[in-house]
């Protein structure tokens, strides 16, 4: 996936999320609920969300190496901080949970 594909996925994700949120507001305002309709949006968000998550995760892994190198250059060998370790970590609930599972939890609580 190149950067243009990533950007398009983020744009699409935000559009679907906005539509899903409007649907949830409609449900609340009209005291109704349609699980099948909601699942369509959840499935689209899950597909896009996983792609976005994977791209971000790969970016942070690559960027982390560059960050560590630059950090060591900034400190310099004379600083006495050669043993200091620094790292960047990308954390997401998608590492431990399926996105549809997260949607279900958000509706419960």
């Amino acid at each position: 996936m190149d950067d243009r594909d990533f950007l398009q996925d983020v744009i699409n994700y935000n559009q679907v999320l906005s539509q899903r949120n409007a649907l949830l507001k409609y449900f609340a305002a009209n005291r109704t609920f349609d699980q099948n309709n909601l699942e369509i949006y959840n499935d689209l968000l899950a597909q896009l969300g996983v792609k976005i998550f994977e791209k971000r995760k790969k970016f942070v892994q690559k960027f982390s190496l560059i960050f560590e190198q630059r950090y060591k250059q900034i400190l310099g060998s004379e600083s006495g901080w050669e043993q200091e370790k620094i790292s960047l970590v990308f954390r997401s609930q998608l590492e431990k949970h399926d996105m549809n599972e997260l949607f279900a939890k958000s509706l419960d609580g």
Side-chain angles (χ1 to χ4, degrees), residues 22-35:
L23 180 65
L24 291 171
K25 287 177 185 176
Y26 173 83
F27 290 161
N30 293 290
R31 298 176 189 234
T32 185
F33 186 77
D34 180 357
Q35 182 67 34

Side-chain angles (χ1 to χ4, degrees), residues 20-73:
R20 179 185 183 269
N21 288 343
L23 180 65
L24 291 171
K25 287 177 185 176
Y26 173 83
F27 290 161
N30 293 290
R31 298 176 189 234
T32 185
F33 186 77
D34 180 357
Q35 182 67 34
N36 292 332
N37 202 352
L38 185 61
E39 282 181 11
I40 293 169
Y41 289 100
N42 289 351
D43 289 343
L44 286 169
L45 287 172
Q47 290 171 18
L48 293 167
V50 168
K51 289 168 62 175
I52 293 167
F53 165 73
E54 291 298 329
K55 179 70 174 182
R56 287 178 175 169
K57 187 175 173 181
K58 287 178 186 175
F59 171 80
V60 171
Q61 288 171 344
K62 289 179 183 178
F63 183 75
S64 181
L65 297 173
I66 296 167
F67 180 77
E68 290 172 22
Q69 291 171 351
R70 296 295 186 253
Y71 184 78
K72 288 177 185 176
Q73 288 175 345

